């Protein structure tokens, strides 16, 4: 296979020297930035993540900074999630939608101050939508992409490692909360969050100067914890039911179809409220689906069939080493979404038996 031609358009990160020295063997591009995909092998990386602790270069989780007197007004226009109770040390998973309720992104919103937020976006050009809303309404707010690069620390030994570098107080950070903690002569937002089910933190590294010093400090402090460079694991995140924008959902889907209905509770007249109300009862929804037999890598949705008729599509599928079966995320029609329903998947290598599950594997 070819490699990626180096250019300004495909951005490197403050940790690129670290991930390259650590043996990144496959990468992808996310928000026009390099995101590692594999170090040793998918399976080795997965087992290591579940047993130890990894440092992830997730700089590609770019921030959209929203700051100014109208910051909250802007967010209230675009957020289906009620922000009234959001505290200044809190993060919210927030569906981002268009006028019709179609998903534009699924960011994590970080509240830095009453008039200052970061929208930590998945892979889409959501900043252009936010700018469009702010400018059209002539809001007194600044919207930009700051030089902030999240570094993930994920895995069961995350607390132990983070306590050594940032102090014992990391242990008191609650899920989707953060503290601003010192590192050398600066400080970073350190949140208990991240794109795995193994527990861990995300350090929002401001600027590039401290990228490699922080990377090296974590690697040095975690030697006896077997810390390694890692990256989001498809195997682990499908087991855990973490969604990937652009893969498992697109603008064609509503938050209800994505199982994100619990995050649609704003009483305000936000953009898409009426559109969403009209699509309140989804005709399809995301389900965990087990697939039998051998499957190839998935690069386009695979039709889900019942009696030869299409009743949905598999959007991410992978072998699960721990559950010793293929696990997948699928969008399934209401008529066939009940747990236990037997279906077939039309993969490029042929039909495979599939079963709808009640819960993800975790
Ligand atoms: N962390 C940060 N930014 C991100 C991601 C992240 N931006 C891109 C991408 N990931 C956004 N998508 C997600 C998807 C799932 C979760 C977070 C971001 C997630 N979901 C939990 C769940 O679904 O159970 C928790 C949701 C909740 O209860 O609040 O963690 O990973 N900074």
């Amino acid at each position: 296979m070819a490699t990626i031609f180096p250019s300004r358009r495909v951005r490197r990160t403050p940790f690129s020297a670290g991930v390259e020295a650590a043996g990144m063997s496959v990468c992808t591009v996310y928000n026009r930035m390099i995101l590692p995909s594999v170090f040793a092998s998918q399976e080795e990386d997965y087992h290591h993540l579940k047993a130890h602790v990894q440092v992830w270069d997730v700089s590609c989780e770019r921030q959209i900074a929203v700051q100014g007197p109208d910051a909250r007004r802007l967010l209230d226009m675009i957020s289906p999630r009620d922000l009234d109770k959001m505290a200044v040390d809190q993060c919210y998973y927030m569906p981002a939608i268009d006028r019709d309720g179609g998903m534009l992104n699924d960011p994590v919103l970080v509240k830095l101050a009453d008039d200052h937020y970061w929208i930590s976006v998945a892979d889409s050009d959501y900043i252009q939508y936010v700018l469009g809303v702010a400018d059209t309404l002539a809001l007194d707010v600044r919207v930009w992409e700051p030089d902030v690069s999240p570094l993930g620390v994920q895995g069961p030994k995350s607390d132990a490692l983070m306590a050594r570098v940032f102090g014992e107080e990391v242990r008191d950070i609650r899920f989707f909360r953060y503290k601003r903690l010192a590192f050398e002569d600066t400080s970073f937002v350190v949140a208990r969050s991240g794109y795995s089910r193994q527990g861990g933190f995300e350090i929002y590294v401001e600027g590039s100067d401290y990228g490699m010093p922080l990377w090296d400090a974590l690697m040095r402090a975690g030697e006896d914890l077997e810390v390694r460079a890692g990256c989001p694991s498809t195997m682990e995140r499908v087991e855990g039911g973490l969604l990937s924008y652009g893969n498992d959902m697109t603008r064609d889907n509503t938050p209800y179809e994505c199982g994100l209905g619990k995050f649609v509770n704003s009483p305000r007249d936000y953009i898409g409220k009426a559109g969403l109300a009209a699509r309140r009862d989804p005709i399809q929804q995301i389900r965990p689906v087990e697939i039998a037999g051998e499957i190839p890598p998935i690069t386009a949705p695979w039709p889900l069939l019942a009696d030869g008729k299409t009743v949905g599509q598999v959007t991410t599928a992978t072998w699960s080493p721990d559950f010793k079966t293929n696990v997948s995320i699928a969008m399934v029609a209401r008529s066939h979404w009940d747990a236990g329903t037997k279906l077939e998947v039309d993969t490029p290598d042929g039909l495979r038996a599939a079963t709808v599950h009640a819960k993800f594997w975790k």
Side-chain angles (χ1 to χ4, degrees):
M1 234 214 335
T3 56
I4 290 175
F5 189 80
S7 91
R8 183 185 188 186
R9 272 192 313 96
V10 180
R11 300 175 286 181
R12 287 161 51 84
T13 83
F15 318 109
S16 287
V19 302
E20 284 161 15
M24 174 176 72
S25 57
V26 183
C27 67
T28 185
V29 174
Y30 189 102
N31 284 324
R32 285 168 279 109
M33 203 167 221
I34 298 283
L35 168 63
S37 302
V38 181
F39 284 87
S41 74
Q42 270 203 80
E43 239 181 278
E44 270 189 64
D45 293 354
Y46 158 97
H47 287 302
H48 181 268
L49 167 64
K50 289 181 141 191
H52 304 290
V53 54
Q54 297 184 341
V55 179
W56 292 6
D57 177 2
V58 283
S59 302
C60 65
E61 298 171 352
R62 300 314 289 167
Q63 309 308 302
I64 303 172
V66 173
Q67 184 173 31
D70 287 337
R72 177 65 196 278
R73 264 187 76 197
L74 174 56
L75 283 160
D76 278 345
M77 286 303 295
I78 61 175
S79 174
R81 188 161 176 186
D82 186 2
L83 307 179
D84 258 0
K85 295 202 169 67
M86 189 177 196
V88 160
D89 69 341
Q90 218 167 357
C91 312
Y92 268 12
Y93 190 30
M94 178 190 103
I97 56 165
D98 67 15
R99 194 173 58 168
D100 302 316
M103 295 282 295
L104 295 176
N105 205 290
D106 68 331
V108 174
L109 180 65
V110 183
K111 183 168 180 176
L112 300 170
D114 285 330
D115 65 350
H116 192 186
Y117 297 79
W118 283 336
I119 307 172
S120 185
V121 289
D123 189 21
S124 84
D125 296 313
Y126 187 56
I127 191 171
Q128 303 197 7
Y129 181 87
V130 179
L131 275 167
V133 173
D135 289 351
T136 303
L137 297 177
L139 296 179
D140 187 1
V141 68
R142 197 156 78 90
V143 176
W144 78 104
E145 185 183 304
D147 185 10
V148 173
S149 299
L151 187 64
V153 175
Q154 298 285 305
K157 302 180 188 168
S158 293
D159 280 70
L161 174 56
M162 287 293 284
R164 292 180 189 180
V165 175
F166 286 96
E168 289 296 315
E169 48 189 324
V170 298
R171 299 183 191 274
D172 302 327
I173 302 174
R174 288 185 285 151
F175 186 60
F176 269 56
R177 300 270 173 165
Y178 72 80
K179 286 185 184 182
R180 187 171 269 282
L181 298 175
F183 176 76
E184 296 185 348
D185 60 350
T186 186
S187 70
F188 299 124
V189 169
V190 177
R192 192 181 288 278
S193 57
Y195 200 61
S196 89
R197 295 287 184 198
Q198 305 310 310
F201 300 86
E202 290 179 305
I203 308 156
Y204 291 80
V205 178
E206 292 171 60
S208 296
D209 296 352
Y210 294 90
M212 282 314 298
L214 176 59
W215 177 280
D216 290 336
L218 287 162
M219 291 299 175
R220 236 181 292 117
E223 231 168 281
D224 62 308
L225 302 173
E226 294 187 51
V227 66
R228 278 196 206 163
C231 52
S233 159
T234 300
M235 291 167 166
E236 195 274 346
R237 74 117 179 139
V238 174
E239 288 177 354
L242 289 170
L243 306 181
S244 165
Y245 186 79
N247 283 316
D248 305 315
M249 71 276 203
T250 69
R251 197 178 160 195
D252 291 338
N253 306 115
T254 66
Y256 299 117
E257 292 178 348
C258 302
L260 302 178
K262 59 178 176 289
F263 302 122
V264 178
N265 61 356
S266 170
R268 289 178 187 75
D269 195 14
Y270 57 88
I271 300 167
K273 186 171 203 175
L276 266 187
R279 302 167 76 183
R280 181 73 190 78
D281 285 315
I283 57 167
Q284 55 177 1
Q285 199 165 55
I286 281 181
R287 285 291 182 274
V289 169
E290 179 171 354
I291 305 173
E294 297 237 323
I295 55 166
I298 183 166
T299 55
W302 296 339
L304 265 173
L305 309 175
D307 304 322
K309 186 171 102 344
T310 300
V311 296
Q313 56 180 12
V314 170
T315 52
T316 307
T318 177
W319 174 250
S320 161
D322 280 353
F323 294 93
K324 302 201 180 340
T325 185
N326 300 305
V327 294
S328 82
I329 298 177
M331 191 65 77
V332 188
R334 176 188 286 270
S335 54
H336 290 79
W337 74 25
D338 287 347
T341 305
K342 303 282 184 197
L343 302 170
E344 282 185 309
V345 191
D346 190 3
T347 82
D349 289 1
L351 294 179
R352 298 289 182 271
T355 310
V356 179
H357 276 232
K359 291 192 167 152
F360 281 94
W361 291 263
K362 314 232 166 155

